[in-house]
Amino acid sequence: MKISVVIVNYNVKHFLEQCLYSVLKSAQGMDVEIFVVDNNSVDGSCCMIREKFPQIKLIENKKNTGFSYANNQAIRQSSGEYILLLNPDTVIEECTLTYVVKFMDSHHDAGGLGVKMIDGKGRFLPESKRGFPTPAVAFYKIFGLSKLFPKSKIFGRYHLGFLNKDEIHEIDVLAGAFMLIRKETLDKTGLLDEAFFMYGEDIDLSYRITKAGYKNYYYPKTTIIHYKGESTKKSSVNYVIVFYHAMIIFAKKHFSERNAKTFSLLINLAVYFRAFLAIATRFIKAALIPMIDASLIFIGFFLLKPLWENYKFSGQGYYPPEYLKFVVPVYMLAWLASIFFSGGYDKPIKLGKITRGILVGTLVILVFYSLLSEKFRFSRALILIGTAWTYCAVIMFRIFLHFLKINNYSLNTSLKKRVVIVGQKEEIIRIKSLLSQTEANPVIVGAVSPEMEGTDAFFIGEQKQISEIIKINNIDEIIYSAKDVSSQSIIKNMLDITRSVDYKIASPNSISVIGSNSIDTAGDLYTLNLNVITKTDNKRNKRLLDVIFAIAFLGLSPVLIFIINKKTGLFSNIFSVLFGFSSWVGYNTENGIPSYGLPKIKKGILYPIVNYHTSNENIEKINIEYAKNYMIYNDLVIIFKNIKNIGK
């Protein structure tokens, strides 16, 4: 056996399917075995492999064993001269396996090899080549000097930015997303260190390869796509802790005791520093726009109040100082809360939702205003004037953000994405049918032939004309048929096209179309429309309903305790829902009924069924219907009809 490919999967079924398809195409004519080690996925990954890729050697773990342990399971069963550790969120070229094996065969000093990687937007990923994280290198990385001076031979050693990305180089660290290792080398160095659950194991193994007398190479003559799912998590506190903990393990293992202590101290300082930055960044991102809205509203009242006093009462001072200090802030909170629950802070911006939020907020203010005693009713007119100001100020601010072209703050003009599909007729017709069933349902501008098709009117052009097609037709996204267009051709297009467009790939006989920058970024996956329940509005409203009922049930508990069937579970369920561990209504997964393939939601106390003796087949259908056609009204009905069971 020439090469053994090992892929560790955890809940990325659609990406794994695309990855396996690209690996099988690259393996044609070679002596290759492919392992998938599944770490207890619940998205139907294993069923998909058994159904579509029966030739794959599948190892099913019953728990998430971690990246290192899972890779070692397959390596121990492998028989290849070379071992390729490959991420499931990758797409490799048809020539990749041939090229890398040929290079290793001709470079006997090579213990490991990595390749040039790009993300789903065609941008080079700097982690394709890295240096060892010595204390100095780690310091430059942690405190941003490597980012400020990426080409520096001193500060840029983490990503070796001073090395040409299009030339072959000896490097220190191979990227775990694509790590080709000589089996002979692993026999000397040992397998991946299972002390590393996730992150750091690639650095550790790369270091041991060089210590064993071999070299690690960066080989850019073939390029792969790496969707890089962890990219969206790097602002999270959890990522910071896990990643830097792995660095401490590495330091204690390979550095001298003195250097390890210095490194550990530096890393611990970095954890607190980066955790603080992560929390602050997330807070600022979430709170900045509402805080600016609040400031605009307050400024409006501050300027309008004296003008109204002069007009109405021929002089200032009619309203007490408490009006601006206490009353206006209450108005602000009412408007901001209403905008939030109306979806006015969702992205992209929807002016209709903002308008609805302001109107609802005004209604709430006026209702409470009418209930107050006379001495606290300052001015209904100022409320209405403030409403007009709030509407104008908030809307103008959104328009300002839109024209500044600040990321994620563009106005939703209700224009759908303009898409072209590259492939042959049969597959293009299938992809069009799939897209029509998705929530996005983009505008298909036309079909592009991967090769010369004569004068066939079905196509608007050929793939070699793709740059002109994008420009003339104002295309937002290109979808490639993996059945008809080679991975090599797709990647070449991504590298050559200069205009900013999105890219997606449709695998044969798949219900998914995948692409863009990250496996965790919303909108990067077109699949059948089962995601209604996970729309931002529905998630927010479902959570709000959960909290309201949890508080209501807590207040009514002295009465409910005599009504419900199982009294012992009432309070644990109330607090479980209140703190976000579960929801009042969720899928029925009793008796081993699977929920994979469905949008992920919190575990339910109650289920969307009335008859608890329904067959498993019908329960699965009901779960699907609940997800696909979710309405908050459905949850209300389920809760009221099953209120006796809220303690179960």
Side-chain angles (χ1 to χ4, degrees):
M1 189 68 63
K2 193 65 176 178
I3 184 169
S4 300
V5 181
V6 179
I7 302 169
V8 176
N9 175 68
Y10 181 66
N11 289 321
V12 286
K13 176 179 73 173
H14 298 296
F15 289 86
L16 174 64
E17 180 183 1
Q18 190 179 94
C19 175
L20 288 174
Y21 186 76
S22 72
V23 171
L24 288 171
K25 287 173 73 175
S26 189
Q28 287 180 6
M30 297 182 67
D31 194 12
V32 177
E33 62 179 354
I34 304 169
F35 291 87
V36 172
V37 187
D38 185 81
N39 268 340
N40 198 29
S41 295
V42 292
D43 65 345
S45 293
C46 294
C47 291
M48 180 273 293
I49 293 170
R50 284 192 290 266
E51 179 184 336
K52 295 188 174 183
F53 303 99
Q55 69 273 50
I56 301 298
K57 297 181 179 181
L58 176 63
I59 301 173
E60 296 183 63
N61 290 327
K62 298 307 178 185
K63 65 177 182 178
N64 187 353
T65 58
F67 185 77
S68 297
Y69 183 92
N71 271 302
N72 289 344
Q73 284 179 280
I75 293 172
R76 291 189 181 100
Q77 296 183 28
S78 67
S79 57
E81 182 183 343
Y82 299 106
I83 308 294
L84 173 60
L85 307 184
L86 186 67
N87 270 24
D89 58 330
T90 57
V91 176
I92 68 174
E93 294 180 316
E94 286 76 9
C95 63
T96 295
L97 296 183
T98 302
Y99 279 19
V100 296
V101 166
K102 185 178 179 181
F103 180 87
M104 294 290 281
D105 282 346
S106 61
H107 292 75
H108 298 288
D109 61 343
L113 176 144
V115 297
K116 183 178 180 180
M117 299 189 296
I118 60 173
D119 67 13
K121 298 281 282 184
R123 297 171 296 206
F124 174 72
L125 291 173
E127 56 266 39
S128 301
K129 47 184 176 60
R130 285 180 293 170
F132 287 127
T134 62
V137 170
F139 178 85
Y140 302 146
K141 171 77 167 87
I142 290 164
F143 292 99
L145 293 172
S146 61
K147 193 171 183 179
L148 285 174
F149 308 103
K151 302 290 186 181
S152 168
K153 290 188 177 182
I154 297 174
F155 300 122
R157 286 207 60 80
Y158 188 82
H159 285 133
L160 303 176
F162 50 87
L163 298 180
N164 190 322
K165 70 178 186 297
D166 296 316
E167 295 179 1
I168 298 171
H169 299 286
E170 290 181 29
I171 57 171
D172 296 331
V173 177
L174 304 168
F178 184 104
M179 200 171 188
L180 184 70
I181 310 158
R182 199 182 297 273
K183 184 67 179 293
E184 168 195 310
T185 305
L186 283 175
D187 292 338
K188 292 183 180 179
T189 63
L191 303 184
L192 278 74
D193 189 338
E194 293 170 13
F196 298 91
F197 183 84
M198 183 180 292
Y199 308 122
E201 68 290 318
D202 49 357
I203 300 174
D204 174 72
L205 183 55
S206 297
Y207 185 76
R208 286 188 281 131
I209 288 172
T210 59
K211 291 287 284 184
Y214 294 94
K215 294 178 181 178
N216 292 320
Y217 282 93
Y218 166 69
Y219 181 77
K221 303 305 178 184
T222 183
T223 302
I224 72 168
I225 301 171
H226 180 206
Y227 292 114
K228 203 169 176 286
E230 71 273 17
S231 64
T232 57
K233 300 175 184 174
K234 289 189 176 179
S235 62
S236 71
V237 177
N238 183 61
Y239 168 81
V240 171
I241 293 171
V242 172
F243 179 77
Y244 287 114
H245 177 68
M247 294 300 95
I248 291 174
I249 296 174
F250 177 81
K252 288 180 178 178
K253 183 176 178 180
H254 295 295
F255 294 167
S256 66
E257 185 177 349
R258 180 180 177 184
N259 282 342
K261 285 182 178 179
T262 302
F263 191 88
S264 296
L265 176 62
L266 177 66
I267 291 297
N268 281 312
L269 288 173
V271 167
Y272 290 110
F273 175 70
R274 295 296 289 267
F276 170 77
L277 285 182
I279 293 170
T281 300
R282 293 177 71 178
F283 174 78
I284 290 170
K285 284 182 177 179
L288 181 61
I289 300 302
M291 287 172 65
I292 293 174
D293 286 346
S295 300
L296 290 172
I297 295 169
F298 186 83
I299 290 169
F301 273 95
F302 182 80
L303 297 174
L304 291 170
K305 182 182 77 70
L307 294 175
W308 177 251
E309 286 175 324
N310 285 329
Y311 171 77
K312 184 72 175 176
F313 306 106
S314 302
Q316 297 182 24
Y318 180 81
Y319 299 109
E322 289 76 18
Y323 184 78
L324 284 177
K325 289 181 181 178
F326 303 110
V327 177
V328 171
V330 171
Y331 295 167
M332 287 160 41
L333 287 174
W335 277 315
L336 295 179
S338 297
I339 293 171
F340 173 78
F341 286 112
S342 293
Y345 289 113
D346 296 344
K347 303 177 187 68
I349 299 167
K350 295 185 179 180
L351 298 183
K353 291 185 176 183
I354 295 172
T355 302
R356 182 178 63 193
I358 294 171
L359 291 176
V360 170
T362 301
L363 182 62
V364 170
I365 292 168
L366 289 173
V367 168
F368 277 96
Y369 179 87
S370 66
L371 298 175
L372 295 173
S373 64
E374 192 67 36
K375 66 177 181 178
F376 293 115
R377 295 187 201 172
F378 293 102
S379 173
R380 186 179 287 106
L382 263 182
I383 294 174
L384 298 176
I385 293 170
T387 299
W389 165 264
T390 298
Y391 178 78
C392 292
V394 171
I395 295 296
M396 290 302 295
F397 178 50
R398 298 305 188 277
I399 294 172
F400 176 71
L401 290 176
H402 173 75
F403 283 107
L404 283 181
K405 295 185 178 180
I406 295 176
N407 190 31
N408 292 328
Y409 287 104
S410 60
L411 291 172
N412 181 12
T413 56
S414 299
L415 292 177
K416 296 181 178 180
K417 279 188 175 181
R418 294 175 59 80
V419 172
V420 290
I421 306 175
V422 183
Q424 302 290 3
K425 277 186 183 181
E426 183 181 355
E427 192 67 1
I428 288 175
I429 291 169
R430 186 189 72 83
I431 294 169
K432 280 184 177 182
S433 176
L434 173 63
L435 294 177
S436 69
Q437 299 175 63
T438 65
E439 185 183 337
N441 192 15
V443 175
I444 310 299
V445 175
V448 177
S449 170
E451 55 193 30
M452 186 65 182
E453 286 285 332
T455 58
D456 195 328
F458 183 81
F459 298 101
I460 62 172
E462 305 165 32
Q463 188 178 353
K464 66 181 182 181
Q465 301 170 308
I466 194 71
S467 293
E468 284 299 308
I469 291 171
I470 292 169
K471 182 179 178 181
I472 300 235
N473 295 282
N474 199 23
I475 299 301
D476 302 305
E477 183 172 277
I478 308 170
I479 297 176
Y480 293 96
S481 162
K483 182 178 181 180
D484 307 317
V485 187
S486 69
S487 300
Q488 191 171 356
S489 179
I490 294 170
I491 291 171
K492 184 178 185 303
N493 273 181
M494 293 171 70
L495 292 171
D496 290 345
I497 294 170
T498 56
R499 190 180 176 95
S500 178
V501 292
D502 290 329
Y503 304 92
K504 286 187 172 65
I505 302 173
S507 296
N509 303 315
S510 174
I511 63 167
S512 63
V513 182
I514 302 169
S516 201
N517 188 40
S518 162
I519 65 174
D520 299 305
T521 301
D524 291 346
L525 171 65
Y526 292 153
T527 189
L528 293 184
N529 191 15
L530 284 177
N531 291 318
V532 174
I533 197 169
T534 51
K535 277 186 175 181
T536 304
D537 286 0
N538 286 335
K539 286 168 64 178
R540 179 173 48 243
N541 293 336
K542 185 173 175 62
R543 178 62 185 147
L544 179 62
L545 185 76
D546 280 342
V547 171
I548 290 172
F549 270 94
I551 294 171
F553 289 156
L554 188 62
L556 295 171
S557 57
V559 177
L560 290 173
I561 207 75
F562 295 103
I563 299 174
I564 63 174
N565 294 329
K566 293 185 179 179
K567 297 157 178 57
T568 54
L570 175 62
F571 291 103
S572 62
N573 285 346
I574 287 173
F575 287 108
S576 177
V577 173
L578 197 59
F579 292 112
F581 298 113
S582 55
S583 175
W584 287 118
V585 183
Y587 305 132
N588 184 349
T589 56
E590 291 183 348
N591 302 323
I593 297 170
S595 64
Y596 55 73
L598 293 172
K600 188 176 180 181
I601 59 174
K602 292 183 177 69
K603 180 182 177 182
I605 308 297
L606 306 172
Y607 309 132
I609 56 175
V610 177
N611 181 4
Y612 281 78
H613 299 289
T614 304
S615 68
N616 286 359
E617 183 181 353
N618 285 335
I619 290 173
E620 286 186 56
K621 292 179 181 178
I622 292 168
N623 283 339
I624 292 171
E625 285 301 312
Y626 176 73
K628 187 175 181 181
N629 301 304
Y630 177 78
M631 292 187 296
I632 197 168
Y633 172 78
N634 296 342
D635 278 6
L636 286 168
V637 171
I638 292 164
I639 292 170
F640 282 119
K641 282 189 175 182
N642 297 276
I643 198 164
K644 289 185 178 181
N645 297 313
I646 61 173
K648 75 180 184 68

